[in-house]
């Protein structure tokens, strides 16, 4: 007969857990609840007044431009995730399996360095590189190509997203793959598995969890980013963060902006939970 | 033989000397702090630039005041900041002309005495009793400066003849090269002027409003982006944008002074004037100091400072100010057409009926215009 688990409260453990629980309540749950409440408020004479009206929800969700922004944001964030994962994978693979321990450590350190500077500053530096009179078009001009319009396009937005997410995705992928048991890869090769098949059938399945987590991070950061679509995309297509700004700028409609923010959070929760479920789902027969 | 002199004290101070000096310093501290406290802090609510050193440092030094600016972007934002602050938070409020009326209706600003300001010296009759600045015969705001919005363009891709009409925004070569200042009011006002609505550009019935929307949507394929001040500035500077809708010399003027081949003109369909005015915040305990500063800004010296403001230029509104600008900085006066006989002289343009003061929509709500703007951006 198995013994029942001890259900008494461990005060010592609870003491250490309490700060983070308080922190989450004060700085996450509290503001989120306030934001939900705010979405029912009204704005009168540029001042928010407490109310419980559904007008903000009906107003925003019935607007075509809201749904255009919504689907555009989902799509561009998904494209950003695919691009980041594909660009990062070869680099992470090389760092995990080909580079020495010290090279890998230095590479990860160098990948962290961009985070030391402001993302806005890094984004603005792309103006010099991508503008019509910029470095890229200057080089292309020497070989008789261009000039190409790169700023204020979807391409510009994606460059901004990569600036934000790529270092993080490379780090996450590298750390994940570096922790794979190398003997499993060697066993696959010894049993006749070709290099590409080894990647598809051994390395990717074994690093699935880390890869999905990297993808989720990339999607979340891209989905909520305001800087890249505004400055490098030129607001050509309105993303949801830009819509929040537009909504607050004119008429101080914070309650309507709250509706957009709640829709964003709902979407991110759905995607993150689905991703995590996939990441930790066990294969048939796996214990 | 004397034990010590001031010279050997500097070379080798004794403990007694140090204690004496330390004690004296400690006793003097309250007076020092009292002298610091005598500096009057004036809370200013304004567009960026008005509280910067090039505008206020000289005045601060001469009058022992210190400006504490809070900057906003847009009249809505300004009204919200005031609405969310306790009465008396802002001593000095710089507002766009069309928002003064709302400030007054909400009771955020105090009445001003017309006799305190140089109304007889104003460059144009309209400026003396500017729309919205007066109510029931009482004055609530003093017009400080203005600027005109029209066609802003790169001289390398748009000729002066082409820029004489808003039609140039539809030039096929400019596809993807026309930028928007990201605010619906100036752009839709310009589209209204292009549709021939003239003086009634803000007073549109349903049919005219539909027509303005249609005209604006027709421009969408030409548009390369929607920008804030920094983005507009960069887009024109690096050549990514060859023409801009919704701005004027307040942006191209800064670039032009820097040598960029850009300019702004008022096209034949007419242009829009933005107006910036000072008001005294209701409940301010520093109304006297604020009044003195407004008087300074309305003086010839203050008007020159305003015209030369580093963040963005604006034209003088007093005769004395214009004369002082011509004397102090003829190059800037010429560049900004503030000389008699210039076809683009702001006052001449107003007299010719080509300038319309910026206003809010009369038959639609600001929300309607903003909704359309969001649709347009997504089109």
């Amino acid at each position: 007969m198995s013994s029942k688990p001890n259900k008494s409260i461990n005060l010592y453990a609870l003491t250490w857990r309490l700060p983070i629980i308080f922190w989450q309540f004060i700085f996450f749950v509290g503001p989120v609840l306030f934001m939900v409440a705010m979405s029912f408020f009204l704005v009168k004479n540029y001042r928010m007044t407490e109310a419980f009206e559904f007008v903000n929800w009906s107003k925003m969700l019935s607007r075509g431009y809201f749904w255009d922004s919504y689907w555009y944001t989902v799509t561009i964030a998904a494209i950003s995730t695919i691009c980041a994962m594909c660009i990062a994978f070869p680099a992470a693979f090389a760092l995990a399996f080909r580079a020495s321990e010290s090279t890998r450590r230095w590479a990860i350190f160098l990948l962290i360095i961009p985070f030391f500077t402001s993302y806005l500053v890094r984004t603005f530096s792309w103006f010099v590189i991508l503008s019509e009179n910029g470095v890229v078009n200057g080089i292309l001009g020497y070989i008789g190509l261009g000039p190409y319009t790169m700023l204020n396009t979807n391409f510009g937005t994606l460059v901004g997203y990569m600036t934000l997410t790529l270092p993080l995705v490379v780090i996450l992928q590298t750390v994940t793959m570096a922790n794979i048991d190398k003997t499993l890869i060697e066993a696959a090769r010894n049993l006749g598995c070709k290099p590409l098949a080894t990647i598809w059938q051994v390395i990717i399945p074994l690093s699935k969890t880390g890869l999905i987590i990297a993808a989720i991070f990339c999607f979340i950061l891209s989905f909520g980013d305001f800087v890249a679509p505004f400055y490098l995309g030129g607001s050509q297509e309105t993303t949801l963060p830009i819509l929040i700004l537009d909504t607050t700028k004119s008429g101080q409609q914070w309650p309507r902006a709250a509706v957009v923010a709640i829709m964003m959070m709902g979407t991110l929760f759905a995607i993150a939970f689905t991703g995590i479920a996939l990441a930790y789902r066990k294969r048939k027969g796996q214990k | 033989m004397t034990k010590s002199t001031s010279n050997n004290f500097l070379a080798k101070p004794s403990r007694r000397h140090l204690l004496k000096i330390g004690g004296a310093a400690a006793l003097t501290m309250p007076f020092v702090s009292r002298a610091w406290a005598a500096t009057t802090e004036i809370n200013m609510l304004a567009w960026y630039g008005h509280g910067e050193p090039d505008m206020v440092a000289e005045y601060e030094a001469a009058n022992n005041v210190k400006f504490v600016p809070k900057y906003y972007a847009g009249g809505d934002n300004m009204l919200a900041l005031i609405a969310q602050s306790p009465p008396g938070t802002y001593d000095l409020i710089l507002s766009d002309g069309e928002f003064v009326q709302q400030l007054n209706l909400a009771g955020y600003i105090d009445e001003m005495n017309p006799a305190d300001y140089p109304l007889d010296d104003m460059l144009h009759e309209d400026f003396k009793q500017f729309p919205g600045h007066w109510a029931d015969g009482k004055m609530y705001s003093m017009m400080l400066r203005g600027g005109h919005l029209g066609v802003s363009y790169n001289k390398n891709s748009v000729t002066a003849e082409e820029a004489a009409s808003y039609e140039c925004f539809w030039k096929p070569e400019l596809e993807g090269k026309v930028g928007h200042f990201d605010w619906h009011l100036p752009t839709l006002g310009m589209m209204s002027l292009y549709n021939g609505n003239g003086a009634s550009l803000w007073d549109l019935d349903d049919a005219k409003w539909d027509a303005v929307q249609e005209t604006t949507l027709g421009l969408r394929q030409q548009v390369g982006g929607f920008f804030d001040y920094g983005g507009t500035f960069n887009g024109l500077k690096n050549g990514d944008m060859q023409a801009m809708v919704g701005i004027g010399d307040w942006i191209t003027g800064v670039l032009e002074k820097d040598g960029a081949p850009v300019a702004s003109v008022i096209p034949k369909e007419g242009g829009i004037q933005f107006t910036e005015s000072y008001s005294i915040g209701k409940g301010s305990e520093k109304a006297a100091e604020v009044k003195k500063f407004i008087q300074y800004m309305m003086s010839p010296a203050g008007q020159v400072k305003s015209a030369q403001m580093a963040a963005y230029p604006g034209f003088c509104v007093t005769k004395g100010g214009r004369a002082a600008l011509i004397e102090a900085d003829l190059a800037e006066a010429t560049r900004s057409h503030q000389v008699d006989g210039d076809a683009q002289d702001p006052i001449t343009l107003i007299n010719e009926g080509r300038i319309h003061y910026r206003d809010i929509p009369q038959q639609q709500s600001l929300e309607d215009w903003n909704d359309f703007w969001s649709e347009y951006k997504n089109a």
Side-chain angles (χ1 to χ4, degrees):
Chain A
M1 198 174 99
S2 62
S3 61
K4 282 186 179 177
N6 184 6
K7 285 188 177 174
S8 65
I9 297 168
N10 183 339
L11 276 178
Y12 177 78
L14 193 63
T15 307
W16 285 106
R17 283 174 197 155
L18 273 179
I20 189 68
I21 292 168
F22 273 125
W23 180 273
Q24 288 287 13
F25 260 96
I26 293 167
F27 294 109
F28 180 68
V29 179
V32 167
L33 289 177
F34 179 71
M35 193 169 70
V36 172
M38 195 168 78
S39 71
F40 300 101
F41 289 3
L42 294 175
V43 174
K44 287 175 184 166
N45 294 327
Y46 300 94
R47 199 180 298 193
M48 260 195 309
T49 51
E50 287 171 24
F52 190 74
E53 302 279 348
F54 287 86
V55 63
N56 301 312
W57 284 88
S58 61
K59 181 99 183 171
M60 289 312 291
L61 300 188
S62 64
R63 289 289 186 271
Y65 62 78
F66 169 80
W67 292 108
D68 289 343
S69 298
Y70 183 87
W71 291 116
Y72 173 74
T73 313
V74 170
T75 308
I76 194 87
I79 293 170
S80 162
T81 308
I82 293 165
C83 289
M85 293 299 285
C86 293
I87 297 168
F89 191 82
F93 182 89
L95 287 172
F97 299 116
R98 298 279 182 266
S100 66
E101 185 71 26
S102 77
T103 307
R104 190 186 312 143
R105 235 180 278 144
W106 272 106
I108 287 174
F109 173 69
L110 291 172
L111 284 164
I112 291 169
I113 282 182
F115 294 105
F116 293 178
T117 56
S118 154
Y119 168 48
L120 193 63
V121 173
R122 281 182 282 149
T123 301
F124 268 102
S125 66
W126 281 108
F127 279 116
V128 183
I129 300 164
L130 298 181
S131 75
E132 300 247 332
N133 307 319
V135 178
V136 174
N137 274 317
I139 293 167
L140 290 173
Y142 277 113
I143 50 172
L145 293 172
Y148 296 105
T149 303
M150 288 175 275
L151 284 177
N152 311 314
T153 61
N154 285 331
F155 175 76
T157 302
L158 281 172
V159 168
Y161 284 157
M162 291 305 107
T163 308
L164 177 67
T165 62
L166 202 52
L168 182 71
V169 173
V170 174
I171 290 169
L172 287 171
Q173 287 190 357
T174 304
V175 171
T176 303
M177 286 194 272
N179 285 320
I180 292 174
D181 185 352
K182 306 285 188 300
T183 55
L184 293 172
I185 298 166
E186 283 162 17
R189 298 300 307 277
N190 290 339
L191 290 168
C193 197
K194 290 181 177 166
L196 265 180
T198 310
I199 291 172
W200 281 111
Q201 292 171 15
V202 180
I203 293 172
I204 289 180
L206 284 174
S207 51
K208 185 183 77 174
T209 306
L211 294 181
I212 291 176
I213 298 291
I216 290 172
F217 264 108
C218 184
F219 187 89
I220 290 171
L221 289 173
S222 304
F223 190 77
D225 182 38
F226 165 79
V227 173
F230 190 79
Y231 289 107
L232 298 178
S235 282
Q236 268 287 51
E237 303 278 354
T238 309
T239 59
L240 291 176
I242 292 174
L243 186 61
I244 288 178
L245 180 81
D246 287 351
T247 313
T248 55
K249 217 165 54 174
S250 183
Q252 297 296 304
Q253 281 292 349
W254 289 98
R256 287 180 198 165
V259 172
V260 181
I262 292 165
M263 291 296 288
M264 286 181 74
M265 285 193 72
T267 307
L268 288 179
F269 269 122
I271 285 171
F273 280 127
T274 309
I276 288 168
L278 277 174
Y280 290 98
R281 191 179 63 176
K282 290 191 167 70
R283 287 164 126 190
K284 275 183 182 174
Q286 206 176 2
K287 284 189 179 177
Chain B
M1 189 179 141
T2 52
K3 264 184 149 180
S4 73
T5 64
S6 60
N7 278 347
N8 61 21
F9 155 68
L10 287 174
K12 194 178 177 185
S14 68
R15 190 167 54 185
R16 186 176 296 242
H17 271 117
L18 284 174
L19 282 170
K20 265 189 202 170
I21 289 169
L27 287 169
T28 315
M29 282 311 282
F31 298 102
V32 173
S33 65
R34 195 166 298 168
W36 276 76
T39 301
T40 307
E41 279 196 351
I42 296 175
N43 291 306
M44 171 196 270
L45 184 63
W47 281 94
Y48 175 76
H50 285 270
E52 293 304 292
D54 64 297
M55 291 295 286
V56 298
E58 205 178 303
Y59 184 86
E60 283 178 335
N63 293 278
N64 199 25
V65 295
K66 174 82 190 149
F67 287 91
V68 183
K70 168 83 179 170
Y71 293 129
Y72 63 79
D76 284 358
N77 185 213
M78 173 203 64
L79 286 166
L81 283 168
I82 299 176
Q84 290 153 15
S85 311
T89 300
Y90 299 106
D91 305 301
L92 175 63
I93 300 164
L94 179 105
S95 166
D96 288 342
E98 67 270 28
F99 286 94
V100 173
Q101 200 172 5
Q102 296 185 53
L103 281 172
N104 189 25
L105 283 172
Y108 296 140
I109 50 177
D110 254 336
E111 187 189 338
M112 298 164 87
N113 182 1
D116 291 335
Y117 306 99
L119 291 172
D120 291 338
D121 192 38
M122 299 306 272
L123 268 168
H124 196 277
E125 204 59 30
D126 286 359
F127 299 170
K128 292 179 182 174
Q129 289 220 355
F130 200 73
H133 286 40
W134 291 67
D136 302 328
K138 294 173 184 171
M139 181 179 147
Y140 287 90
S141 200
M142 183 67 221
M143 183 176 176
L144 169 73
R145 67 208 294 256
H148 289 168
L149 314 174
V151 173
S152 298
Y153 63 102
N154 188 311
K155 291 187 237 178
N156 293 333
S157 51
V158 179
T159 64
E161 292 73 37
E162 287 170 331
S165 168
Y166 291 118
E167 181 75 39
C168 71
F169 293 138
W170 278 266
K171 191 178 167 184
E173 292 81 7
L174 293 185
E175 189 173 335
K177 300 286 177 197
V178 177
H180 271 300
F181 184 64
D182 193 1
W183 187 23
H184 55 79
L185 212 53
T187 291
L188 296 178
M190 285 179 185
M191 294 297 109
S192 182
L193 286 172
Y194 180 60
N195 274 10
N197 292 319
S200 60
L201 74 162
W202 311 109
D203 191 12
L204 305 175
D205 59 25
D206 286 349
K208 284 179 179 171
W209 170 230
D210 286 345
V212 166
Q213 293 179 69
E214 200 178 319
T215 303
T216 312
L217 285 166
L219 184 63
R220 188 63 180 85
Q221 62 184 19
Q222 297 290 98
V223 175
F226 297 80
F227 307 98
D228 62 358
Y229 176 76
T232 304
F233 201 84
N234 270 324
L236 279 172
K237 192 174 184 180
N238 62 28
D240 283 325
M241 293 299 122
Q242 297 291 316
M244 274 282 175
V245 193
I247 62 161
D249 188 60
W250 69 282
I251 286 186
T252 56
V254 180
L255 290 166
E256 208 178 357
K257 282 192 263 186
D258 203 30
V262 294
S264 290
V265 292
I266 300 306
K268 63 185 182 195
E269 296 91 349
I272 296 168
Q273 177 174 313
F274 74 81
T275 307
E276 292 180 339
S277 309
Y278 272 134
S279 300
I280 301 170
K282 186 158 255 172
S284 167
E285 292 171 355
K286 296 146 196 167
E289 286 89 346
V290 172
K291 183 182 83 180
K292 194 177 167 193
F293 175 69
I294 299 175
Q295 285 171 332
Y296 163 73
M297 288 308 296
M298 295 311 298
S299 73
Q303 286 285 292
V304 171
K305 275 221 174 302
S306 163
Q308 293 174 323
M309 191 166 100
Y312 60 100
F315 62 73
C316 300
V317 292
T318 66
K319 291 171 194 160
R322 176 181 278 211
L325 179 69
I326 291 168
E327 196 180 323
D329 190 351
L330 182 61
E332 175 56 16
T334 309
R335 189 206 63 74
S336 56
H337 313 289
Q338 296 187 72
V339 283
D340 294 339
D342 190 311
Q344 289 277 321
D345 173 4
I347 306 303
T348 306
L349 291 168
I350 297 170
N351 287 332
E352 288 172 352
R354 292 172 62 193
I355 291 297
H356 309 284
Y357 302 131
R358 198 170 63 201
D359 207 338
I360 51 178
Q362 303 297 302
Q363 297 191 42
Q364 296 80 35
S365 67
L366 270 173
E367 192 181 327
D368 292 334
W369 281 41
N370 192 51
D371 267 354
F372 169 69
W373 189 244
S374 294
E375 276 168 29
Y376 173 63
K377 285 172 78 174
N378 273 292

